[in-house]
Amino acid sequence: MNHLLADERYNIILALLQENEIVKLADLIEQLEASEATLRRDLASLEKKGLLKRVHGGASLPKRRGIEPGLHEKTNKFIAEKLKIAKKAAEYISDEDCIYLDAGTTVKELIPFLTGKNVTVLTNGLMHLPLLSEAGIRTMIIGGQVKTSTNAIVGSTAVSFIRQYRFDKCFLGMNAVHPELGYTTPDPDEALLKRAAIELSREAYVLADSSKLNDSAFAKVADMTEAVIITDANDESILRPFRKNSHTKVVTA
Amino acid sequence: MNHLLADERYNIILALLQENEIVKLADLIEQLEASEATLRRDLASLEKKGLLKRVHGGASLPKRRGIEPGLHEKTNKFIAEKLKIAKKAAEYISDEDCIYLDAGTTVKELIPFLTGKNVTVLTNGLMHLPLLSEAGIRTMIIGGQVKTSTNAIVGSTAVSFIRQYRFDKCFLGMNAVHPELGYTTPDPDEALLKRAAIELSREAYVLADSSKLNDSAFAKVADMTEAVIITDANDESILRPFRKNSHTKVVTA
DNA sequence: CAAAAATCAATCATTTTCAATCAAAAACAA
DNA sequence: TTGTTTTTGATTGAAAATGATTGATTTTTG
């Protein structure tokens, strides 16, 4: 087995990682018969995608939070998609930005990409705090009623709290995205907060995997034109309705 | 077998610890084939993360290990005392009360006693949220800056947030309690928030085990007369200075 | 209690690994 | 084919981790 393609090397590296939790660069050089420089680039590239974490002398599995058994089944299915979306969203974040992070699993994947960007974060998601703390990010949390089922802050207090601030960007999760009906979510309280975040941001981004597209829920958050939609869907038949309105901005991860 | 990566050594050390409760440095040198200096650094690093406790000649499991269920048993040395204090404090809480719970381990012990009392809670302690949720208590959290070292909300935003509310009672932890110097704490930001809570409450209670008595810290919170002190100390020689001022209310658990 | 042994923290030289650069090789398009 | 872009491999100085040495501190022993 002589020359391997880049993607083949990627797959082997990731497979070795799954087996051993950690791989040494020296071992990779031997097993894949590629140069040190190439494999070093491979590791850098895979780390950028969030698929592994580089350590001195090799790489290890990235720390995955949230081993709660209940949520495991739901979240795991779209984890790769969520990661792609989060990676894309991170490209829009600049140094020194003040950003709002909505509660939710997709937005959570965005946090590891914030390290080193020196951003300030305001969030209503209690589940984000451990990761934000670990990433060493200046964090503020919205005050208000704790909704225990989703570990998020909601309610009128939360809305008036958030109105004290202005953001460079906001990143929102969303339950349903529809070309004509716009962004919607089941809980009216959450909808109010999301709407406020959009209004207070210079740029608003909605992160939604393809299962949320062309669906609608009870409470309206905003029209399609009020926020950029970032999704993993690349099927043109799904995306075409969204492109009809030229003011709707669609980004594919 | 080649040299081990740092993370691999960490994992092996921790695994050995799980098996034997204690590991000798000399054994690690032999098993991991690394130098004394390296392993010494490893132990220092792991101790910094709180994953083990260094002892002369090796390392042992940290006292607070066993991460899952009973948070009640593993906080500090004074659990029994804290529990007695919390139980006493709970006697002052009535049905339908609106109460403020300060961050801190002693106040945390109070939460299980709230079940069934139909109270509304405002808190700045992120560490309280799981227990409050479990107890099914209507909970609001203060908005503001997250202080990661103590898992609490602090800062000027927090103070102005709390001023929107009024409480029937507030329950505060305290680092130091002194008969003449009053209630003090090391962090001025925390002091401001505690002081605000006292002002906004019809009745204020400070929960402090005997190790905090007759001590003082940097930032003043309030005079002794402004809050009831609940403590486990029953040594009259300790308590007498506090009783000198007849306006100071002392409760022994 | 004092001496001896063991362990510790701090420092420095050595080795290993890293990131950046550039030239050669391969893949690709016109 | 020719020219261009992408990928790869080698080289470099910088950065990080390691191992040995030192003297200070702690524990054990007599």
Side-chain angles (χ1 to χ4, degrees):
Chain A
M1 71 134 112
N2 227 348
H3 305 302
L4 287 170
L5 240 42
D7 277 336
E8 295 183 274
R9 290 199 309 271
Y10 292 169
N11 288 333
I12 293 175
I13 292 171
L14 292 176
L16 286 173
L17 259 180
Q18 287 296 335
E19 283 177 37
N20 300 344
E21 300 235 330
I22 194 166
V23 288
K24 286 193 269 282
L25 185 62
D27 293 346
L28 289 178
I29 295 171
E30 195 181 334
Q31 297 222 15
L32 299 181
E33 297 176 12
S35 75
E36 177 186 324
T38 298
L39 288 165
R40 213 175 274 291
R41 273 185 288 253
D42 287 353
L43 293 185
S45 162
L46 290 171
E47 182 178 44
K48 218 171 174 185
K49 291 184 194 163
L51 296 173
L52 56 76
K53 186 180 146 229
R54 229 131 79 89
V55 298
H56 201 89
S60 71
L61 285 175
K63 276 191 229 165
R64 279 246 154 275
R65 290 277 172 163
I67 317 175
E68 310 90 33
L71 295 172
H72 224 250
E73 301 127 29
K74 280 186 196 172
T75 51
N76 253 359
K77 207 167 186 188
F78 294 99
I79 196 77
E81 287 83 354
K82 287 173 195 285
L83 206 57
K84 269 174 65 181
I85 296 170
K87 171 77 185 359
K88 188 69 183 176
E91 293 178 13
Y92 293 91
I93 299 172
S94 313
D95 221 53
E96 308 283 348
D97 269 353
C98 292
I99 64 181
Y100 175 77
L101 295 187
D102 190 27
T105 52
T106 308
V107 176
K108 186 175 178 181
E109 299 295 332
L110 180 55
I111 298 174
F113 296 107
L114 300 178
T115 41
K117 291 212 176 188
N118 197 26
V119 296
T120 301
V121 168
L122 179 70
T123 182
N124 74 323
L126 298 172
M127 78 290 283
H128 295 158
L129 297 177
L131 272 179
L132 284 166
S133 160
E134 191 180 306
I137 291 164
R138 194 150 56 113
T139 305
M140 300 191 63
I141 185 140
I142 288 188
Q145 182 129 18
V146 178
K147 185 179 177 185
T148 53
S149 60
T150 58
N151 257 314
I153 313 290
V154 297
S156 61
T157 309
V159 173
S160 57
F161 186 93
I162 198 181
R163 288 201 186 281
Q164 297 175 284
Y165 298 90
R166 300 292 180 277
F167 313 106
D168 294 306
K169 284 117 190 173
C170 73
F171 297 89
L172 308 176
M174 198 64 63
N175 288 80
V177 182
H178 191 279
E180 277 109 44
L181 303 174
Y183 299 111
T184 50
T185 193
D187 184 338
D189 281 337
E190 283 184 23
L192 281 175
L193 192 60
K194 288 178 203 283
R195 145 130 241 113
I198 291 176
E199 289 172 358
L200 296 166
S201 297
R202 297 201 297 112
E203 302 166 18
Y205 300 89
V206 169
L207 280 51
D209 62 69
S210 53
S211 70
K212 314 286 173 55
L213 298 187
N214 291 299
D215 194 7
S216 68
F218 174 58
K220 172 143 180 183
V221 175
D223 287 322
M224 286 303 304
T225 57
E226 297 181 77
V228 178
I229 168 80
I230 303 180
T231 180
D232 64 304
N234 43 18
D235 187 343
E236 266 307 312
S237 68
I238 294 177
L239 292 175
R240 192 168 304 119
F242 291 96
R243 299 202 201 274
K244 266 189 178 172
N245 185 334
S246 62
H247 294 297
T248 297
K249 289 179 191 156
V250 182
V251 174
T252 303
Chain B
M1 185 208 266
N2 221 352
H3 302 157
L4 289 170
L5 243 42
D7 278 344
E8 294 183 283
R9 290 198 310 270
Y10 293 169
N11 288 334
I12 292 174
I13 292 170
L14 292 176
L16 286 173
L17 259 179
Q18 287 295 341
E19 283 176 36
N20 302 342
E21 300 249 323
I22 192 163
V23 288
K24 281 189 274 226
L25 185 62
D27 294 345
L28 289 178
I29 294 171
E30 195 181 334
Q31 298 232 3
L32 300 182
E33 298 175 11
S35 74
E36 177 186 324
T38 297
L39 288 165
R40 213 174 275 290
R41 273 185 286 251
D42 287 354
L43 294 185
S45 163
L46 289 171
E47 183 178 43
K48 214 171 175 183
K49 292 183 196 163
L51 297 173
L52 55 76
K53 189 181 146 230
R54 230 129 79 88
V55 298
H56 199 87
S60 72
L61 284 174
K63 281 176 190 167
R64 30 186 249 110
R65 199 78 201 256
I67 305 178
E68 304 315 321
L71 293 171
H72 305 265
E73 304 158 54
K74 63 175 188 188
T75 40
N76 262 336
K77 263 198 293 191
F78 298 94
I79 330 116
E81 288 82 353
K82 287 173 195 285
L83 205 58
K84 269 174 66 181
I85 295 170
K87 196 174 177 188
K88 188 68 183 177
E91 294 177 12
Y92 293 91
I93 299 173
S94 313
D95 222 50
E96 308 283 348
D97 268 353
C98 292
I99 64 179
Y100 174 78
L101 294 187
D102 190 28
T105 52
T106 308
V107 175
K108 186 173 181 180
E109 299 296 332
L110 180 55
I111 298 174
F113 296 106
L114 300 178
T115 42
K117 291 214 176 187
N118 195 26
V119 295
T120 300
V121 167
L122 180 70
T123 182
N124 75 323
L126 297 172
M127 77 290 283
H128 295 157
L129 297 176
L131 273 178
L132 284 164
S133 161
E134 190 180 309
I137 291 163
R138 193 149 58 112
T139 305
M140 300 192 63
I141 185 138
I142 287 187
Q145 182 130 18
V146 178
K147 185 179 176 185
T148 52
S149 59
T150 59
N151 259 313
I153 314 290
V154 298
S156 61
T157 309
V159 173
S160 58
F161 186 94
I162 197 180
R163 289 201 185 281
Q164 297 175 284
Y165 298 89
R166 299 294 180 275
F167 313 107
D168 294 306
K169 285 116 189 175
C170 73
F171 297 89
L172 308 176
M174 198 63 64
N175 287 79
V177 183
H178 191 279
E180 277 110 44
L181 303 173
Y183 299 111
T184 50
T185 193
D187 184 338
D189 283 335
E190 283 183 23
L192 281 175
L193 191 61
K194 288 177 201 284
R195 144 129 242 114
I198 292 176
E199 289 171 357
L200 296 165
S201 298
R202 296 201 295 111
E203 302 167 18
Y205 300 88
V206 170
L207 281 49
D209 62 69
S210 53
S211 71
K212 315 288 174 55
L213 298 188
N214 291 300
D215 193 8
S216 68
F218 176 58
K220 172 143 181 182
V221 175
D223 287 322
M224 287 302 305
T225 57
E226 297 181 76
V228 179
I229 168 80
I230 303 180
T231 180
D232 64 303
N234 44 18
D235 187 342
E236 265 308 314
S237 68
I238 294 177
L239 293 174
R240 192 168 305 118
F242 291 95
R243 300 203 201 276
K244 267 188 176 172
N245 183 335
S246 62
H247 294 297
T248 298
K249 290 178 192 158
V250 182
V251 174
T252 302

